């Protein structure tokens, strides 16, 4: 087939395919990064909640020990 025929290879066809593949891969990479960031933010939130809980437990232990010394 000659260039321009139906089903023929367009000028720069391979370069266009490579550009599309790169764009598609970049889009996929962006999506994966966004999902990883969401997961990291959720983990950071859980860590903060657990730290708060540990501080509350520590405070309770200190109060209980202080009451026992009286």
């Amino acid at each position: 087939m000659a260039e321009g025929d139906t089903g023929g290879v367009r000028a720069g066809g391979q370069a266009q395919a490579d550009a599309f593949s790169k764009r598609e891969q970049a889009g996929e990479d962006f999506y994966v990064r966004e999902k990883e960031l969401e997961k990291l933010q959720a983990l950071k939130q859980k860590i903060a909640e657990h730290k708060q809980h540990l501080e509350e437990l520590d405070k309770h232990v200190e109060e209980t020990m202080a009451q026992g010394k009286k």
Side-chain angles (χ1 to χ4, degrees):
M1 287 190 177
E3 184 178 325
D5 290 344
T6 303
V9 177
R10 295 185 202 168
Q14 185 62 35
Q16 288 176 348
D18 288 343
F20 180 76
S21 295
K22 288 178 182 178
R23 182 177 178 157
E24 184 178 24
Q25 184 64 45
E28 291 173 5
D29 291 345
F30 180 77
Y31 176 81
V32 169
R33 272 194 301 273
E34 288 295 313
K35 291 298 175 186
E36 288 176 347
L37 283 173
E38 289 173 9
K39 289 179 183 179
L40 285 172
Q41 289 171 346
L43 288 172
K44 285 181 180 181
Q45 179 63 33
K46 282 188 177 185
I47 289 171
E49 292 170 3
H50 284 254
K51 282 182 179 181
Q52 178 65 32
H53 182 68
L54 287 173
E55 289 174 8
E56 291 170 2
L57 290 174
D58 192 39
K59 182 180 177 183
H60 178 71
V61 167
E62 288 178 12
E63 289 173 355
T64 303
M65 291 178 69
Q67 288 177 356
K69 290 182 180 180
K70 291 183 179 182

